[in-house]
Amino acid sequence: MPEKIEKSEEEWKQILSRDKFLVLRKKGTEPAFTGKYHNHKEKGTYLCGACGQELFSSDDKFDSGTGWPSFSKPISEDRVVRQEDNSYFMKRTEVLCSRCGSHLGHVFDDGPKPTGERFCMNSISLDFKKED
Ligand code: FE
């Protein structure tokens, strides 16, 4: 398990842009098709937008048509934490960064084989590192 990063919400507020803070720390959702990665096809690694932990590989990215960047799996299961989310009268599974606890998005069970999972992420919760 990666070493945890713990900061107060006040500290995060200083570090993150307002829009990033609202999604990563306040569990907001960016409007579909507005983020920078839903249609992004470069080879590389997607990082946590708050702490920089490597989360997803472009190899596992697929076009879900939802308007949010979607992945069939994280780089390894220990990079994320799954948590039950019953907000907005829905039963969903929230996905958090395992290192800093920031909100990334949700995971659904309608993804492609073999995992059958769709990690539906907010672009703004991610940063991208291009493969050299
Ligand atoms: Fe993080």
Side-chain angles (χ1 to χ4, degrees):
M1 202 60 158
E3 203 179 319
K4 294 225 184 312
I5 292 180
E6 289 191 39
K7 294 184 193 297
S8 69
E9 293 313 309
E10 205 43 56
E11 286 175 291
W12 282 120
K13 212 173 207 172
Q14 305 298 324
I15 297 167
L16 302 173
S17 71
R18 185 173 178 277
D19 287 348
K20 274 194 159 185
F21 181 78
L22 288 176
V23 175
L24 284 157
R25 303 307 310 177
K26 296 295 177 194
K27 305 182 189 298
T29 300
E30 71 193 10
F33 299 101
T34 64
K36 56 182 172 179
Y37 296 134
H38 72 89
N39 205 19
H40 185 250
K41 295 191 168 68
E42 280 187 298
K43 279 228 169 249
T45 305
Y46 292 84
L47 318 174
C48 172
C51 77
Q53 172 170 226
E54 297 191 349
L55 298 173
F56 299 99
S57 163
S58 58
D59 294 341
D60 301 314
K61 191 173 189 291
F62 66 98
D63 185 4
S64 63
T66 59
W68 290 287
S70 302
F71 304 87
S72 56
K73 60 178 166 67
I75 286 174
S76 65
E77 189 60 35
D78 69 357
R79 305 297 168 93
V80 297
V81 171
R82 298 161 186 249
Q83 184 169 283
E84 203 177 299
D85 172 9
N86 295 318
S87 64
Y88 303 105
F89 308 101
M90 286 183 275
K91 202 170 164 60
R92 295 183 295 173
T93 303
E94 182 187 359
V95 179
L96 307 163
C97 171
S98 64
R99 188 157 77 162
C100 72
S102 291
H103 173 80
L104 304 171
H106 291 87
V107 60
F108 301 93
D109 60 6
D110 58 4
K113 283 176 179 160
T115 65
E117 292 199 304
R118 170 171 61 94
F119 283 80
C120 184
M121 303 289 102
N122 290 282
S123 292
I124 203 165
S125 292
L126 303 172
D127 285 321
F128 182 72
K129 191 174 74 183
K130 200 172 168 172
E131 197 173 281
D132 319 303

